[in-house]
């Protein structure tokens, strides 16, 4: 906006200067023409009156000639006098007699002078015409015309020129300001805003100016630079995220390795004592001479020892993978075995267990025991997610895996439990992550299951909504029939 205003002021000044000079030259030219016309008119009058005055002088005398000249004054707007160089006040010329010495007959002399017109001294143009014989020697006809008309014309012309010049300058300045704002001010403002956004780290904005001029070229260069900066920024952010993820993965792996070593040591140290406690508690329960209260206490001790043994086994499974012995396994049979393991506990909690399998056999190459452990961990999580009961469905199938080529076996465990919110889904497979109360879970079930499935070349997907149940889908490479 300021640039357009300055440009408009500069243009207005130039227009004022040019038009003012042109008006001044025009007025001066008109004045020169005006004076030339006055000189020609006076010369013509002199040529006409001169012979008449001379003839009147010759026939009727000087007094009659002067009366003739006075009569001419009454009819014209000019002052006509009969003068002599060196005459008295009434017949003395308006200019110096020395200037008249070069005047010859026929001829005339024009000079600027001042006369009294209507009681006011004004500037006038005096023309002197030498009278031919038989007028008196040195007699001149003085024709003086006031320049009032010229001065009035000059004032009107200058006022008109000044008014026109100022109006044109203001009109041009206004038009220049408007056009400058449209074609310069607004684009420049957008350029400034874009550079400020780029300086603030926003590289996604673009101008898309359609102007085919230098500002349009500058806008195109800024858009191109902004696009390159955005790409560089995104690449840098991606690289930084990948580096941070790699560092976090490395730290996580180191933490898991440390936890694995600790878990292995703890499991090894607790395994044998727990077996002894469980064995002796079982002997107490089986002893017929022991009272019922002691047997009940011993049974509680045995159950808790078995529970601790299961926890130790999970720690060992997490800490060190057992070498797998793979063979072709019917996925539907494995699902049936897992379902039978939980029929009793599920009945006690009002949970229905159903296995859905296809008509054709779906086989995978896997370690049967490890595959059963995966199913056991998934079904255990599903049962624990339905404290109020519900339906648990294990479905076996095959087909294509979204986004991954090949022939895949699909096993899903679907429950009607509490579901998982997004923040829980993100950490579901992390070791020791659990939403259960203290003492009700180690947080290793899904982590161990994922590790076994990945060792078999597969993966596990989670589909869940908070309050609407969960579905865990296991994908394993399908064995092609021979």
């Amino acid at each position: 906006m300021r640039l357009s205003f300055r440009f408009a002021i500069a243009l207005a000044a130039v227009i004022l200067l040019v038009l003012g000079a042109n008006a001044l030259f025009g007025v001066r030219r008109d004045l020169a023409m005006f004076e030339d016309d006055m000189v020609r008119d006076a010369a013509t009058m002199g040529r006409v009156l001169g012979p008449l005055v001379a003839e009147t002088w010759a026939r009727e005398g000087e007094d009659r000639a002067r009366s003739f000249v006075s009569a001419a004054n009454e009819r014209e707007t000019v002052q006509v006098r009969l003068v002599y160089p060196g005459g008295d006040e009434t017949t003395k010329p308006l200019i110096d007699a020395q200037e008249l010495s070069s005047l010859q007959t026929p001829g005339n002399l024009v000079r600027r002078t001042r006369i009294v017109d209507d009681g006011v001294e004004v500037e006038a143009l005096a023309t002197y015409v030498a009278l031919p014989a038989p007028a008196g020697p040195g007699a001149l006809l003085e024709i003086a015309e006031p320049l009032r008309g010229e001065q009035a014309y000059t004032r009107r012309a200058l006022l008109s020129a000044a008014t026109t010049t100022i109006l044109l300058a203001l009109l041009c300045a206004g038009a220049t300001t408007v056009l400058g704002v449209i074609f310069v001010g607004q684009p420049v403002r957008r350029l400034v805003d874009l550079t400020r956004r780029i300086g603030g780290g926003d590289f996604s904005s673009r101008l898309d100016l359609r102007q085919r001029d230098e500002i349009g070229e500058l806008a195109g260069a800024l858009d191109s630079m902004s696009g390159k900066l955005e790409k560089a920024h995104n690449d840098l952010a991606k690289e930084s995220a990948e580096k941070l993820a790699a560092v976090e993965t490395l730290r996580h792996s180191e933490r898991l390795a440390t936890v694995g070593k600790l878990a292995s040591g703890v499991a090894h140290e607790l395994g044998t004592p727990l077996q002894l406690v469980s064995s002796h508690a079982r002997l107490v329960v089986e002893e017929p001479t022991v009272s019922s209260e002691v047997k009940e206490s011993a049974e509680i001790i045995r159950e808790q020892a078995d529970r601790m043994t299961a926890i130790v086994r999970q720690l060992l499974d997490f800490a060190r993978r057992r070498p797998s012995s793979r063979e072709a396994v019917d996925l539907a049979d494995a699902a049936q075995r897992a379902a039978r393991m939980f029929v009793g506990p599920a009945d006690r909690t009002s949970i229905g267990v159903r296995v859905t399998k296809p008509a054709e056999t779906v086989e995978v190459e896997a370690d049967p025991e490890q595959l059963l452990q995966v199913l056991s961990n998934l079904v255990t999580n599903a049962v624990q997610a339905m404290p109020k009961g519900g339906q648990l469905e294990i479905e076996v199938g095959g087909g294509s895996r979204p986004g991954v080529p090949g022939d895949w076996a699909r096993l899903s465990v679907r429950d009607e439990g509490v579901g998982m919110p997004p923040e829980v889904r993100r950490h579901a497979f992390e070791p020791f992550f659990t939403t259960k109360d203290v003492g009700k879970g180690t947080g290793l079930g899904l982590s161990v299951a994922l590790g076994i499935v990945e060792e078999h070349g597969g993966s596990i997907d989670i589909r869940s909504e908070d309050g609407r149940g969960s579905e865990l889908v296991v994908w394993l490479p399908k064995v092609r029939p021979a």
Side-chain angles (χ1 to χ4, degrees), residues 95-102:
I95 63 175
D96 189 79
Q98 189 176 358
E99 294 186 58
L100 297 173
S101 61
S102 60

Side-chain angles (χ1 to χ4, degrees), residues 322-327 329 365-372 456:
R322 292 176 298 167
S324 60
S325 177
R326 302 186 185 183
E327 59 185 62
V329 179
E365 187 176 358
D367 185 312
E369 295 302 322
Q370 289 185 350
L371 182 58
L372 184 61
H456 285 73

